[in-house]
Amino acid sequence: MADTEQGEQAAEAATEVTVDKDAARAERKAAKLAKQITTFARAHGGAEGQVAYIGQRGSRIVLVGADGGWGDIVAPTHAIALSAVEKAGITVHDDFDGDFAAKVRTGPYEWTRMAGIQIGGPSGG
């Protein structure tokens, strides 16, 4: 009986250590992503974002700078993505439409790339 209790306590302790390590790892990843978001925001005069769940790969954080520049980063989980944008202190939109989407400025590269996909133009590869 005492052996069973000790075994259960050891299993619980091991589970707590694993959970703590996973939480610490997630916190470090969120901090790293927040730093990248902050760097983007500084380079573009501020930034806004939108977090979109993309399945098992995690969540994509789309960033749009005040100057119209844009980019994205992928977080391994939706929770980490939300934590990262919160730490970065940017405005987060629920959807990528309307006024928010209108802030994106595309250049010749994007137009060439989009045209290439649609009408057989340069592959951009």
Side-chain angles (χ1 to χ4, degrees):
M1 181 98 152
D3 290 338
T4 305
E5 281 184 29
Q6 287 177 344
E8 288 174 3
Q9 289 173 349
E12 287 177 20
T15 301
E16 288 177 18
V17 169
T18 302
V19 169
D20 290 345
K21 285 183 181 180
D22 289 344
R25 188 176 297 120
E27 184 65 26
R28 286 191 304 273
K29 183 64 177 177
K32 181 178 178 182
L33 291 170
K35 185 176 179 181
Q36 292 173 323
I37 294 167
T38 302
T39 299
F40 177 90
R42 276 195 215 117
H44 295 277
E48 298 176 54
Q50 191 259 336
V51 179
Y53 177 70
I54 56 174
Q56 283 186 315
R57 293 224 36 221
S59 288
R60 172 172 282 126
I61 304 167
V62 178
L63 301 169
V64 179
D67 64 357
W70 60 279
D72 67 343
I73 53 178
V74 176
T77 68
H78 197 68
I80 290 173
L82 294 175
S83 178
V85 295
E86 183 179 328
K87 287 177 185 303
I90 64 169
T91 299
V92 180
H93 297 268
D94 292 331
D95 296 310
F96 194 85
D97 60 1
D99 292 334
F100 182 50
K103 294 179 181 182
V104 175
R105 298 290 171 246
T106 54
Y109 169 78
E110 289 85 6
W111 283 104
T112 301
R113 178 95 173 143
M114 287 185 277
I117 292 169
Q118 296 298 318
I119 58 174
S123 67

